[in-house]
Amino acid sequence: MWMKTVFWGLLLFMLVATTMAVEYGARSHNSGPWSWCDPATGYKVSALTGCRAMVKLQCVGSQVPEAVLRDCCQQLADINNEWCRCGDLSSMLRSVYQELGAREGKEVLPGCRKEVMKLTAASVPEVCKVPIPNPSGDGAGVCYWAAY
């Protein structure tokens, strides 16, 4: 008798879990709070022109003028959804790579390798003291894609 009860209990659990997964899009690769940042859903990616200039200057070791830093930080802070900030930085970085014809392991600009530019861009939220989601809970204000 108890085997039958366990079987029906597991079956009910599977039915509820499957229903919840479908309802909340668990099988979707684009689910969760970051899905609101998808341009396919109408989200407008920020160009982050100030951050673009800041990252280029930092990567080659140049001093970043206060006005450029302020513009970058304000543009990043103006992105209302914290989940979209790293995605917009990543998009900005891809456009810089495309503009400069960057390839892996190569210099993007004289004295600036692609990997260094990537780490520089990933640290912009920390430099600007602009919050980003941190699922790991380690307190880092660095965009996660820097590790990839």
Side-chain angles (χ1 to χ4, degrees):
M1 177 69 178
W2 71 272
M3 275 302 258
K4 204 180 238 186
T5 304
V6 169
F7 171 77
W8 285 109
L10 284 173
L11 187 62
L12 179 62
F13 173 77
M14 296 280 289
L15 179 63
V16 169
T18 302
T19 303
M20 288 177 68
V22 169
E23 177 72 24
Y24 293 102
R27 292 184 177 246
S28 170
H29 293 292
N30 199 18
S31 63
W34 52 89
S35 66
W36 303 317
C37 310
D38 185 357
T41 64
Y43 174 75
K44 185 177 178 332
V45 176
S46 176
L48 299 174
T49 54
C51 297
R52 181 184 194 95
M54 184 176 101
V55 166
K56 285 179 177 180
L57 288 168
Q58 280 184 326
C59 193
V60 296
S62 295
Q63 183 69 28
V64 177
E66 186 64 35
V68 172
L69 176 63
R70 190 175 44 252
D71 286 348
C72 172
C73 293
Q74 186 60 57
Q75 289 167 3
L76 195 60
D78 285 346
I79 299 170
N80 292 329
N81 186 337
E82 292 179 357
W83 289 92
C84 300
R85 291 176 178 153
C86 286
D88 285 11
L89 280 167
S90 178
S91 179
M92 178 270 304
L93 193 58
R94 279 192 307 273
S95 73
V96 169
Y97 290 162
Q98 188 175 26
E99 168 194 319
L100 300 172
R103 292 187 311 257
E104 198 64 41
K106 302 290 181 187
E107 283 190 330
V108 181
L109 296 166
C112 174
R113 295 180 67 80
K114 187 174 181 180
E115 295 80 11
V116 174
M117 185 172 275
K118 182 178 182 180
L119 291 171
T120 302
S123 67
V124 169
E126 179 66 24
V127 170
C128 291
K129 305 294 184 229
V130 174
I132 57 170
N134 185 10
S136 69
D138 64 5
V142 177
C143 295
Y144 70 91
W145 43 262
Y148 301 108

